[in-house]
Amino acid sequence: MHKKMAFSFPDEVLEHVFSFIQSDKDRNAVSMVCKSWYEIERWCRRKVFVGNCYAVSPRMVIRRFPEFRSIELKGKPHFADFNLVPDGWGGYVFPWIAEMAGAYPWLEEIRLKRMVVTDESLELIAKSFKNFKVLVLSSCEGFSTDGLAAIAASCKNLKELDLRDCEVDDLSAHWLSHFPETYTSLVSLNISCLGSDEASFSALERLVHRCTNLKTLRLNRAVPLDKIANILRHAPQLVEFGTGTYTADVRPDVYSDLAGVLSSCKELKSLSGFWDVIPDYLPAIYPVCSKLTSLNLSYATIQSPDLIKLVSHCPNLQRLLVLDYIEDSGLEVLASSCKDLQELRVFPSDPFGAEPNVSLTEQGLVAVSLGCPKLQSVLYFCRRMSNEALVTIARSRPNFTRFRLCIIEPKTADYLTLEPLDVGFGAIVQYCKDLRRLSLSGLLTDRVFEYIGTYAKKLEMLSVAFAGDSDLGLHHVLSGCESLRKLEIRDCPFGDKALLANAAKLETMRSLWMSSCAVSFAACKLLGQKMPRLNVEVIDERGPPDSRPENCPVDKLYIYRSIAGPRFDMPPFVWTMDEDSGLRLS
Amino acid sequence: MELQLGLALPTPNMLKGFDLNNHGLDQLKEMGGLEAWNKAAGCFADKDCVKSKRSFEQAFGNFTEECRTKPLLLWSGQPNEEEDHKDQKKATFSTTDENDAEEDDQVVGWPPIKTWRKKIFQQQQQPRVGRAENNRVAENENGRSIYVKVKMEGVAITRKIDIKVYHSYQSLTNSLITMFTKDKKCNEDDYILTYQDKEGDWLIAGDIPWQNFVRSVQRMEIVKNWG
């Protein structure tokens, strides 16, 4: 009578049930229940997520999932965003495109993050996938507008082209004209990263005019303010809009044109862009403010009074990105006007200045934490902090899931007591039980890591800089944080002991980055030899690590689990430590 | 003000397998770690390292003189040694001091702002090369923004404003009043707006046509009106 339930359902029924399971984590869990579920699941998985493109080879993915339609790949380590990963490190997408081009003519979606994409790759995509629909390139580089032209010309069913934060070689704006006149399926276009001044406005206008399903349009800085009205006139159905440069000579006709067109966009929920803002033109957006849920003013160099006015018009705001010109006073207004706020990012307007140029302190963050009951995600740059403020924030906002605080000067102590900020961050991890992402800053000892290891049980990503006293700190994190997937560390006195003692932990994580720390070459070799399912890569632009004594610390270390073995596309300044690293180095 | 969080120190169970008393050696050995690895790897310069604790330190510990871990006290539940903490701080290993010297007080990749965002700042705020005193903070090639420092007597924070945003003295002073009244309650009439021109002279703002003012202002200061 011990019939296993799994076997009593025909495969088709199970497959149908699985089709409701979209999340990657759940799919992975399903596939581990038993062999037959593994088999059924792999045949019906339509979306594949590879968090580290070197953790697995394209061939392995294709072998396991014969019928996927959508793939998401991530390449370089996160610290590449801040110039810590030298050019040429890797993350090339071409091998993936090449393998999939042969196996998957029906691939529809490619999403890439921090990868090197060449025009050749884009041309191959355009040529190989007849039903290609979605291309999202996030923080990618290596391609030019020629590659985009190929996509525009060939992908008749393209719905989404999103180039957020990419570095594109802007050879010509005329790539937009490569969309055929018969092409009308565009739903989302984000070209905000493109630089070319000579923009093909008429092609853009015509494209917007004929794509009546367009919901998202994010323009680049080159599109002048007086052209926006013409573009928007054809797209009153837009839900998300990013302006180009938001400055022009003040002319009443331009203003009323803009205001009129904006107020006819009844579905608009998200605004961004606003480069070079002139306050005179801001009121043009007031009519749409009451419906706005997302506002990105992180390029808008307007001062607090104008920001306050703007923010007071947006009671339904859920997401705000802004420069620190908003100041504490502006954040207090935000706290009282925007009760639905879930995410706040405050960027520094003068990050390299020695003196503060705005009155933005920990008080602004406290105000928002106290006033906004739904706040769960914060990225905050400021110049001073106190344990008292952090404890208040933690106690009043236990629902934080992402808390990233950057106190601009490294090792800044609590400005009230001159103590380290251990207790403050300790409160954050103690009270915010669902915290998944944390970035630390300020003066911190091993104590903060003790708190993190003890309390941050759901923490998945931790970023650490200029903190800690000894290996004890690293040991606390590696031994205590059960859910840890990504750990990135720079300029901390963590060495071999904690790393070697917790070697097994590294296989349960996606990756570990350590730069300017105290891990010796010898320890790297040891790890590489003993842990075959970890790729241990030493990045050192000073030259081969074996040209220095073994106990010398390596410059940068990137360790990640992989079933694909060591990679072969490394540049000369990256060495992999594998089984043979005692014998050779390359 | 003592901030009590009532955090318990880690129990011995949590530290299973890792006791810094012996610099982790005994536990590593139990885990089939160090000694087994030593024998197999054979990658240590010091042949004696397999035999004694001392050699572990020699093999791994030479360069980390400063990195001595804190033995015993933290783990056994005794009160924190505040003094020791402070000593630890002094002894931290840091490579940033080197970097700082090389890179003009700017550490690579810090503060952690994305490269393209930094580029936006650079486009909007390019410091003038060759000026001894960087008063006029930035002048964009296209003349899109001109950032000028504004200081008010009695206020610690020097602000930077984009003069291109304003079209008249009135709009400028209105904005300055709003900006600075937060810092210092004041009567508008008690203060005069002065500026330093290209020749370095300090003048009262308002005498020359607005466009000329925009072209010549280097920095501004709001001073008390004693007249």
Side-chain angles (χ1 to χ4, degrees):
Chain A
M1 265 301 284
H2 267 300
K3 232 193 207 171
K4 290 208 175 129
M5 285 305 288
F7 294 144
S8 67
F9 287 115
D11 287 2
E12 300 82 50
V13 174
L14 276 174
E15 210 176 292
H16 182 70
V17 171
F18 292 170
S19 69
F20 294 104
I21 300 170
Q22 301 292 342
S23 112
D24 211 60
K25 268 191 193 151
D26 293 339
R27 279 262 170 179
N28 291 344
V30 161
S31 70
M32 298 212 290
V33 168
C34 63
K35 279 192 187 144
S36 82
W37 279 35
Y38 176 92
E39 273 304 306
I40 298 167
E41 193 282 318
R42 78 180 188 91
W43 277 95
C44 68
R45 190 180 298 212
R46 298 283 175 258
K47 281 176 110 136
V48 172
F49 171 75
V50 181
N52 174 4
C53 65
Y54 290 120
V56 69
S57 76
R59 213 164 282 182
M60 286 169 166
V61 174
I62 292 173
R63 210 167 45 220
R64 178 171 170 190
F65 302 112
E67 301 211 341
F68 69 84
R69 298 272 183 278
S70 154
I71 187 160
E72 181 174 350
L73 294 169
K74 295 189 181 180
K76 299 186 204 174
H78 173 239
F79 273 175
D81 285 354
F82 317 129
N83 275 347
L84 288 176
V85 177
D87 278 339
W89 175 87
Y92 306 105
V93 78
F94 188 79
W96 288 84
I97 309 289
E99 288 280 350
M100 292 189 297
Y104 276 52
W106 51 82
L107 187 69
E108 293 178 3
E109 305 182 354
I110 295 177
R111 292 177 172 82
L112 307 175
K113 188 165 187 179
R114 283 190 211 100
M115 294 198 78
V116 177
V117 182
T118 54
D119 285 345
E120 208 188 343
S121 305
L122 292 174
E123 281 151 22
L124 193 52
I125 292 173
K127 217 170 44 173
S128 318
F129 308 118
K130 294 306 162 198
N131 199 25
F132 195 65
K133 293 198 171 116
V134 172
L135 183 64
V136 177
L137 303 178
S138 174
S139 303
C140 294
E141 46 154 2
F143 60 103
S144 77
T145 41
D146 287 352
L148 296 177
I151 298 280
S154 310
C155 301
K156 300 186 183 27
N157 294 316
L158 192 71
K159 281 171 51 180
E160 197 173 327
L161 179 60
D162 186 333
L163 307 172
R164 57 183 79 157
D165 307 343
C166 287
E167 260 191 61
V168 184
D169 205 359
D170 229 314
L171 302 172
S172 148
H174 292 298
W175 69 274
L176 269 170
S177 333
H178 286 253
F179 281 110
E181 290 302 316
T182 49
Y183 167 76
T184 58
S185 31
L186 200 59
V187 172
S188 171
L189 180 66
N190 179 350
I191 51 170
S192 54
C193 63
L194 293 184
S196 70
D197 278 326
E198 160 241 337
S200 159
F201 303 126
S202 53
L204 182 59
E205 255 180 83
R206 283 200 311 277
L207 183 64
V208 172
H209 194 174
R210 65 182 186 270
C211 296
T212 51
N213 287 320
L214 195 64
K215 294 275 184 291
T216 299
L217 178 63
R218 301 219 191 259
L219 303 172
N220 59 327
R221 196 176 184 178
V223 179
L225 193 59
D226 48 3
K227 295 285 183 196
I228 287 181
N230 284 344
I231 292 171
L232 278 179
R233 219 184 302 281
H234 300 303
Q237 77 283 359
L238 276 184
V239 176
E240 301 182 323
F241 180 61
T243 74
T245 183
Y246 206 78
T247 190
D249 293 330
V250 186
R251 277 162 41 199
D253 55 329
V254 171
Y255 179 92
S256 53
D257 221 8
L258 181 63
V261 150
L262 275 170
S263 50
S264 66
C265 295
K266 305 284 182 206
E267 312 295 322
L268 214 46
K269 289 215 159 48
S270 163
L271 281 179
S272 63
F274 298 107
W275 283 278
D276 324 301
V277 176
I278 276 214
D280 304 66
Y281 275 108
L282 274 180
I285 71 170
Y286 287 173
V288 297
C289 282
S290 60
K291 293 222 192 86
L292 283 185
T293 56
S294 168
L295 189 51
N296 183 350
L297 294 168
S298 58
Y299 309 121
T301 51
I302 44 174
Q303 302 292 340
S304 186
D306 297 305
L307 284 167
I308 289 176
K309 256 187 256 160
L310 188 47
V311 148
S312 328
H313 278 83
C314 308
N316 290 311
L317 211 53
Q318 294 172 12
R319 185 167 188 262
L320 177 66
L321 279 66
V322 73
L323 287 170
D324 58 7
Y325 288 126
I326 194 169
E327 303 197 329
D328 289 338
S329 53
L331 291 174
E332 275 155 35
V333 172
L334 183 69
S336 56
S337 318
C338 304
K339 294 303 185 185
D340 279 347
L341 195 69
Q342 294 174 19
E343 179 177 352
L344 174 67
R345 296 191 188 204
V346 180
F347 296 99
S349 53
D350 186 18
F352 305 111
E355 299 298 316
N357 64 322
V358 290
S359 180
L360 179 106
T361 67
E362 82 285 3
Q363 292 307 316
L365 186 57
V366 171
V368 181
S369 304
L370 286 171
C372 301
K374 299 191 189 165
L375 189 66
Q376 42 167 283
S377 170
V378 135
L379 169 60
Y380 198 78
F381 285 82
C382 62
R383 289 177 189 272
R384 74 173 201 204
M385 188 49 61
S386 66
N387 284 307
E388 185 183 343
L390 283 170
V391 173
T392 306
I393 290 167
R395 282 205 171 119
S396 58
R397 205 47 45 229
N399 43 325
F400 272 125
T401 53
R402 287 183 286 270
F403 190 81
R404 297 159 69 189
L405 178 65
C406 178
I407 304 164
I408 290 177
E409 184 62 33
K411 303 195 190 178
T412 303
D414 176 329
Y415 78 98
L416 293 172
T417 64
L418 299 183
E419 307 240 294
L421 291 169
D422 300 335
V423 165
F425 279 106
I428 296 282
V429 294
Q430 189 186 3
Y431 287 100
C432 305
K433 300 203 192 300
D434 291 324
L435 196 68
R436 291 196 313 263
R437 184 168 180 182
L438 177 65
S439 300
L440 305 173
S441 59
L443 182 64
L444 297 165
T445 72
D446 284 346
R447 200 106 190 272
V448 73
F449 299 110
E450 190 182 325
Y451 293 140
I452 292 173
T454 306
Y455 292 104
K457 293 307 181 187
K458 297 237 179 102
L459 192 66
E460 296 178 5
M461 182 168 178
L462 178 64
S463 309
V464 185
F466 306 102
D469 310 310
S470 73
D471 275 49
L472 205 51
L474 182 56
H475 173 68
H476 282 308
V477 172
L478 290 177
S479 59
C481 297
E482 292 159 6
S483 312
L484 196 64
R485 291 189 299 115
K486 290 178 278 184
L487 179 57
E488 47 186 25
I489 302 172
R490 62 163 296 175
D491 293 276
C492 296
F494 300 146
D496 303 339
K497 297 176 187 134
L499 202 56
L500 293 176
N502 291 283
K505 170 74 174 176
L506 299 177
E507 266 190 28
T508 69
M509 293 165 52
R510 183 188 296 174
S511 65
L512 167 65
W513 168 279
M514 290 179 76
S515 55
S516 305
C517 295
V519 180
S520 72
F521 180 49
C524 295
K525 282 198 289 187
L526 198 54
L527 259 179
Q529 282 165 14
K530 292 297 139 190
M531 310 290 295
R533 286 183 303 193
L534 286 183
N535 280 0
V536 179
E537 292 178 11
V538 170
I539 302 166
D540 211 321
E541 286 174 288
R542 299 172 294 183
D546 63 347
S547 63
R548 285 177 291 279
E550 264 189 358
N551 59 1
C552 247
V554 298
D555 184 23
K556 296 170 184 167
L557 175 60
Y558 186 52
I559 302 175
Y560 56 92
R561 65 180 174 188
S562 174
I563 53 173
R567 58 187 179 114
F568 300 110
D569 60 357
M570 293 171 304
F573 51 83
V574 177
W575 289 269
T576 188
M577 313 282 112
D578 57 16
E579 295 91 77
D580 309 320
S581 69
L583 307 171
R584 61 158 181 84
L585 272 172
S586 66
Chain B
M1 184 179 15
E2 196 65 45
L3 289 162
Q4 300 279 5
L5 285 180
L7 293 170
L9 289 170
T11 62
N13 280 340
M14 283 174 55
L15 307 172
K16 201 174 181 183
F18 195 83
D19 177 355
L20 289 179
N21 288 343
N22 301 318
H23 302 285
L25 265 190
D26 290 335
Q27 280 61 34
L28 283 176
K29 282 184 207 164
E30 271 170 27
M31 292 177 347
L34 192 60
E35 282 209 312
W37 290 0
N38 284 351
K39 284 175 187 155
C43 64
F44 298 135
D46 190 336
K47 283 178 285 177
D48 292 330
C49 69
V50 176
K51 292 187 205 143
S52 67
K53 288 182 196 176
R54 267 262 62 104
S55 337
F56 175 79
E57 276 220 282
Q58 276 165 6
F60 285 139
N62 289 348
F63 69 96
T64 56
E65 281 304 305
E66 303 93 22
C67 282
R68 205 125 292 159
T69 54
K70 249 171 63 90
L72 197 68
L73 296 170
L74 272 184
W75 304 91
S76 61
Q78 282 169 24
N80 289 328
E81 304 282 293
E82 297 298 332
E83 276 79 7
D84 284 354
H85 267 302
K86 286 178 190 147
D87 286 340
Q88 282 304 106
K89 268 182 249 158
K90 282 186 204 142
T92 46
F93 178 101
S94 173
T95 56
T96 54
D97 297 328
E98 275 175 23
N99 291 344
D100 281 351
E102 285 164 5
E103 284 162 278
D104 271 26
D105 294 335
Q106 270 189 35
V107 180
V108 173
W110 191 266
I113 302 169
K114 289 188 182 167
T115 325
W116 52 266
R117 224 177 248 288
K118 267 194 265 189
K119 281 194 185 145
I120 307 281
F121 289 135
Q122 278 158 13
Q123 284 165 20
Q124 288 177 335
Q125 296 192 14
Q126 268 165 11
R128 297 261 230 104
V129 179
R131 273 195 84 77
E133 218 186 335
N134 226 352
N135 295 322
R136 192 159 233 211
V137 181
E139 186 156 11
N140 184 289
E141 280 154 12
N142 301 354
R144 282 197 189 128
S145 312
I146 299 174
Y147 284 88
V148 176
K149 284 186 183 170
V150 185
K151 195 177 176 335
M152 177 163 175
E153 207 174 303
V155 174
I157 290 185
T158 300
R159 295 186 188 265
K160 261 179 241 166
I161 60 164
D162 177 6
I163 207 110
K164 273 272 181 170
V165 156
Y166 305 98
H167 305 277
S168 65
Y169 286 108
Q170 193 58 52
S171 61
L172 171 63
T173 45
N174 283 348
S175 186
L176 289 176
I177 288 168
T178 319
M179 218 183 287
F180 280 99
T181 33
K182 284 179 297 184
D183 301 312
K184 197 183 177 72
K185 271 205 150 125
C186 58
N187 191 342
E188 198 179 319
D189 295 331
D190 292 340
Y191 288 87
I192 305 179
L193 178 63
T194 64
Y195 72 100
Q196 188 180 39
D197 69 1
K198 278 189 176 150
E199 278 92 56
D201 299 323
W202 281 93
L203 308 164
I204 294 179
D207 289 337
I208 58 172
W210 174 256
Q211 284 306 327
N212 296 358
F213 170 74
V214 168
R215 275 194 288 272
S216 77
V217 62
Q218 299 303 300
R219 58 179 168 156
M220 296 188 276
E221 188 163 342
I222 303 171
V223 296
K224 287 209 182 79
N225 184 359
W226 295 114

